Amino acid sequence: MTKVTAQMSVSLDGFYAGPRHSGEAADWMESAEAAGFFRVTRWVTDAMAWRERQGFAGGEQSVSSRVVAESFEAAGAYVMGRNMADGGEVPWGDEPPFRAPVFVVTRRPRETLVRQGGTSFTYVTDGIASAVEQARAAARGKNVAVAGGGTLLRQVLRAGLLDELELHIVPTVLGTGMRLLDADLDLAEKEAIELTPTRVIHTPEVTHIRYTVNGRAALVLDDRGSGSGVEAR
Amino acid sequence: MTKVTAQMSVSLDGFYAGPRHSGEAADWMESAEAAGFFRVTRWVTDAMAWRERQGFAGGEQSVSSRVVAESFEAAGAYVMGRNMADGGEVPWGDEPPFRAPVFVVTRRPRETLVRQGGTSFTYVTDGIASAVEQARAAARGKNVAVAGGGTLLRQVLRAGLLDELELHIVPTVLGTGMRLLDADLDLAEKEAIELTPTRVIHTPEVTHIRYTVNGRAALVLDDRGSGSGVEAR
């Protein structure tokens, strides 16, 4: 059955990149945003399975590489934000790494772009739920992967459309940056989004934790700790 | 050899409690702060090893209970913030759960308070480093545990005094609250605190990850991802 999944590499303090770069685009590689981004994705760029999809040589055939390979394999279609699609269009070249239909959430209508190796980019202008539905129909029973960035992932989570989230928790504290689970999730007071971890794979470089998203729930007062009633004052 | 350790239960988005309660202390149990706190510590209050130390009946003899038992056992002395010490003084009663010397970082001098079962509270007015040193001397070769709260833990981490951090990551997204790894860690641009995960224990309720703290490091540009030079533009 098709699941809507997402995954993201984050620092131990929850950032997927350094603070947003506000200067010239050409200076991005030297920015603090990029420095943070490359730190949290280092485990990916070291992984053979990722490098092979990018057409790069080398890399490690590691446990983490298998996690990457598995993610690519499980995805029958992708949903992507406009920033990521725009930024990737040139570097991904004629044969992008997705090898599956990609549905780009955007406000600007554009004709579908068909690339080699099975990748196509379809521009969806009527919202995230529509993009997810179109991706679901195109996924042929495989999963719909929300490919990012962080803003899109939060929107999908907030809208209750996400079935599974895999976080790759990298053992670094950045202190500041672009936070994945930011405050714009529209949670009410004493309300949470509950998940259940279903798989944990750990290496010295990164801890991969896969969660099923159970949905929103009220935080009810829980006095199991008291026993004697001391704390239930 | 004595290590300086800390542990904390946090939500998936990094909060150890809900947003700080600003009303009457008597209303704390009904606050959003408390609701978040009880959610992220639920696994602890369910653990038999914790309940036994509090003098409460029941609880689960689970993997997580063994994690709690092990933490208590490893600690030869504690360092604690004033808020936690003040808040606990009455509920902990005559026989507090620590069974070891506790060094409270405070500005108010006070005579050492000796309780039953091996717990004492020594009030240290000349700073965190001094409290850690006094605890180290008192720990008899066991570990010094930084018992919280979050502000103290960050101060110890920021000062480079922390050897080991164990996070108990609870699969809930709170959206807002008191964040453990907040921005006041005094990190420079393109600087991070690097850690290495040394042990991961996972259950459906919580993922326990223990980290060795390696210290501060510059985030250097890392173009291993490029291979072809495409990204090193």
Side-chain angles (χ1 to χ4, degrees):
Chain A
M1 205 190 70
T2 297
K3 286 182 291 192
V4 179
T5 66
Q7 52 161 328
M8 190 68 98
S9 298
V10 290
S11 66
L12 194 51
D13 47 350
F15 300 108
Y16 60 94
R20 190 181 293 277
H21 176 58
S22 57
E24 295 290 320
D27 299 332
W28 184 80
M29 281 297 283
E30 273 64 54
S31 70
E33 179 188 327
F37 174 75
F38 285 121
R39 174 64 191 92
V40 300
T41 58
R42 184 185 297 164
W43 74 271
V44 186
T45 54
D46 282 346
M48 183 182 286
W50 183 86
R51 300 184 68 87
E52 184 268 332
R53 283 273 179 142
Q54 312 290 326
F56 299 159
E60 296 163 15
Q61 184 47 278
S62 59
V63 169
S64 288
S65 183
R66 286 197 289 279
V67 169
V68 173
E70 181 190 55
S71 290
F72 276 128
E73 180 56 34
Y78 291 84
V79 175
M80 190 179 289
R82 183 178 63 82
N83 285 341
M84 182 170 167
D86 283 358
E89 190 165 334
V90 171
W92 289 328
D94 292 336
E95 195 172 338
F98 306 102
R99 303 182 189 166
V102 179
F103 296 85
V104 181
V105 181
T106 179
R107 287 201 189 83
R108 295 175 307 184
R110 180 175 165 185
E111 207 170 314
T112 296
L113 183 66
V114 178
R115 297 295 206 187
Q116 293 169 29
T119 301
S120 61
F121 295 93
T122 300
Y123 301 89
V124 178
T125 55
D126 56 346
I128 291 165
S130 169
V132 168
E133 272 320 295
Q134 291 181 53
R136 195 187 289 273
R140 299 164 186 257
K142 287 188 168 188
N143 289 342
V144 171
V146 178
T151 305
L152 181 73
L153 198 161
R154 275 198 302 278
Q155 288 170 339
V156 173
L157 179 61
R158 187 171 58 201
L161 297 170
L162 194 66
D163 298 313
E164 194 174 275
L165 173 65
E166 184 157 19
L167 293 184
H168 312 290
I169 302 178
V170 175
T172 188
V173 174
L174 298 181
T176 178
M178 293 160 71
R179 202 185 286 281
L180 178 60
L181 297 170
D182 214 331
D184 65 353
L185 289 167
D186 274 346
L187 286 164
E189 189 177 281
K190 301 189 190 179
E191 185 188 39
I193 297 172
E194 295 288 342
L195 307 92
T196 302
T198 57
R199 190 184 75 169
V200 180
I201 294 175
H202 52 98
T203 78
E205 291 78 31
V206 56
T207 309
H208 310 280
I209 312 185
R210 182 182 288 173
Y211 294 93
T212 294
V213 181
N214 304 324
R216 287 165 192 256
L219 292 172
V220 292
L221 179 65
D222 183 340
D223 70 348
R224 280 183 286 183
S226 73
S228 64
V230 168
E231 295 190 0
R233 62 187 184 274
Chain B
M1 204 190 71
T2 296
K3 287 183 292 193
V4 179
T5 66
Q7 53 162 326
M8 190 68 98
S9 298
V10 291
S11 66
L12 194 51
D13 47 351
F15 299 109
Y16 61 94
R20 189 181 293 277
H21 176 58
S22 57
E24 294 291 321
D27 299 332
W28 185 80
M29 282 297 283
E30 268 55 70
S31 70
E33 179 188 327
F37 174 75
F38 285 119
R39 176 62 192 92
V40 299
T41 57
R42 185 186 297 166
W43 74 272
V44 185
T45 52
D46 282 346
M48 184 183 287
W50 183 86
R51 300 183 69 87
E52 184 268 332
R53 282 271 179 143
Q54 311 291 326
F56 299 159
E60 296 163 16
Q61 184 48 279
S62 58
V63 168
S64 289
S65 183
R66 287 196 290 278
V67 170
V68 172
E70 181 190 56
S71 291
F72 277 127
E73 179 57 35
Y78 291 84
V79 175
M80 190 179 288
R82 184 179 62 83
N83 285 342
M84 183 169 166
D86 283 358
E89 190 165 334
V90 171
W92 289 328
D94 292 338
E95 195 173 338
F98 306 103
R99 303 182 190 167
V102 179
F103 296 85
V104 180
V105 181
T106 180
R107 288 203 189 83
R108 294 175 307 183
R110 181 174 164 184
E111 207 170 314
T112 295
L113 184 66
V114 178
R115 297 295 206 188
Q116 294 169 30
T119 301
S120 60
F121 295 93
T122 300
Y123 301 88
V124 179
T125 56
D126 57 346
I128 291 167
S130 169
V132 169
E133 272 321 296
Q134 291 182 51
R136 195 187 291 274
R140 299 165 187 255
K142 287 189 168 187
N143 290 342
V144 171
V146 178
T151 306
L152 181 73
L153 197 161
R154 277 199 301 278
Q155 288 170 338
V156 172
L157 179 61
R158 188 170 61 202
L161 297 169
L162 194 67
D163 298 312
E164 193 174 277
L165 173 65
E166 185 157 18
L167 292 185
H168 312 289
I169 302 178
V170 175
T172 187
V173 174
L174 298 181
T176 180
M178 293 161 73
R179 203 185 285 281
L180 178 60
L181 297 170
D182 214 330
D184 65 352
L185 288 166
D186 274 345
L187 286 164
E189 188 177 280
K190 301 189 189 179
E191 186 187 40
I193 297 172
E194 295 288 343
L195 307 93
T196 301
T198 57
R199 190 184 74 170
V200 179
I201 294 176
H202 51 98
T203 77
E205 290 78 31
V206 56
T207 309
H208 310 280
I209 311 184
R210 183 183 286 173
Y211 294 94
T212 294
V213 181
N214 305 322
R216 287 165 193 257
L219 292 173
V220 293
L221 179 65
D222 182 340
D223 71 348
R224 280 183 286 182
S226 73
S228 63
V230 168
E231 296 190 0
R233 58 188 187 271

